Amino acid sequence: MDLKVDLRGKVAVVTGGAGVLCAGMSLSLAGNGAKVAVLDLRADAAEGVAAEIRRKGGSALGLGVDVLAKPSLEAARSHILHEFGTVDILINGAGGNMPRATTGAERTFFDLTAEDIRMVMDLNFLGTVLPSQVFGKVMVEKQKGVIINISSMAAYTPLTRTIAYSAAKAAVSNLTAWLAVHFNQEYSKEIRVNAIAPGFLLTEQNRYLLTDINTGEPTPRGQQVLAATPMGRYGAVDDLLGAVLFLCSDAASFVNGAVIPIDGAFAAYSGV
Ligand code: NAD
């Protein structure tokens, strides 16, 4: 998709940047002129995305980073400041669900362990807070910046089975509003914190829930999702890029504390 905003001279940090959604966002930010630091637990995959950006003529760094370990984030910040000089944009993309924190025939609510629930809560919520502390500090110093969090449809009304993921994404939406107000009141009127809430995209984190691994046909849950999405399809990474670029750009100069659903009207539909 050929979307254009002018991000030349901007430096973007994308956590979870080797994942399906955030690799697409990293490429799109770079295609619009930003220098991109691709951060991911999977260092090789992060470097793979960065190498693809460089092959296309952009500037990028790929770094192995754990968003749940502050020293790891701080080391990445030093590296990025050394290479690119600043941070203008942070996309908090690392997140997701885990089968072990999902109820089903083989695992009832009563079987879920505290450890597995905590892992999903931490990855999505703390994994958004800690990078916002580490890279938000650079934004406070320069009195300007853009943070974009990734929420979910599960944040509006919890989705069945995904107990921890639904709660964690509700926390991410709540945090988005909190951070927007906090940065404005305490530090700068020029720091904006928003979120996108993607509808259902078919990716590795949910493929096992939405398609039959043997036949590739929609599971009953997949059929339910499509029936509950008035646009009648899953989203694609490209569907998210317009909103991400908009939020990064000065066109969104008064958009702050917002959670934007990009969901084919899933959240708007009561089912009746
Ligand atoms: P993905 O699994 O493809 O990508 C997530 C990336 O995060 C992976 O590359 C993984 O290695 C990385 N990661 C995991 N733990 C990490 C850690 N501790 N530190 C650093 N990196 C870590 O998932 P995706 O589908 O691209 O999802 C990206 C974001 O969008 C997530 O927050 C997800 O919850 C959210 N989301 C996805 C969908 C969807 O339909 N796919 C819908 C709504 C929201």
Side-chain angles (χ1 to χ4, degrees), residues 15-23 25 39-43 45-46 63-69 72-73 92-97 119 122-124 127-128 149-154 165 169 172 196-206 210 234-235 237 240:
T15 74
V20 180
L21 269 52
C22 290
M25 291 179 203
L39 275 45
D40 202 285
L41 203 52
R42 298 176 298 131
L63 299 174
V65 171
D66 181 356
V67 292
L68 297 178
S72 163
L73 288 159
N92 281 311
N97 190 31
M119 184 60 223
D122 280 358
L123 175 59
N124 291 280
T128 301
N149 300 329
I150 316 291
S151 185
S152 160
M153 285 303 109
Y165 184 71
K169 288 302 191 184
V172 168
I196 58 167
F200 285 81
L201 284 83
L202 198 56
T203 60
E204 292 321 308
Q205 79 163 273
N206 59 21
L210 300 178
Y234 293 116
V237 177
L240 306 179

Side-chain angles (χ1 to χ4, degrees), residues 203-239:
T203 60
E204 292 321 308
Q205 79 163 273
N206 59 21
R207 194 175 301 277
Y208 72 102
L209 287 171
L210 300 178
T211 51
D212 185 308
I213 46 167
N214 298 316
T215 64
E217 292 297 311
T219 58
R221 189 180 179 86
Q223 288 167 12
Q224 271 181 322
V225 168
L226 292 172
T229 304
M231 292 186 82
R233 65 173 175 88
Y234 293 116
V237 177
D238 275 1
D239 291 317

Side-chain angles (χ1 to χ4, degrees), residues 98-118:
M98 283 182 354
R100 288 203 312 275
T102 306
T103 61
E106 68 297 346
R107 196 181 298 97
T108 74
F109 168 68
F110 303 101
D111 300 324
L112 298 172
T113 69
E115 191 191 359
D116 291 337
I117 292 171
R118 192 176 293 124

Side-chain angles (χ1 to χ4, degrees), residues 173-189 191-194 256-258:
S173 289
N174 189 281
L175 171 72
T176 301
W178 189 90
L179 274 181
V181 173
H182 185 72
F183 275 122
N184 284 172
Q185 287 189 331
E186 301 294 327
Y187 301 113
S188 164
K189 307 295 185 208
I191 297 176
R192 295 185 291 106
V193 185
N194 294 289
N256 198 14

Side-chain angles (χ1 to χ4, degrees), residues 16-20 22-23 26 38-53 61-64:
V20 180
C22 290
S26 298
V38 181
L39 275 45
D40 202 285
L41 203 52
R42 298 176 298 131
D44 289 352
E47 177 47 32
V49 175
E52 189 177 345
I53 290 172
L61 275 177
L63 299 174

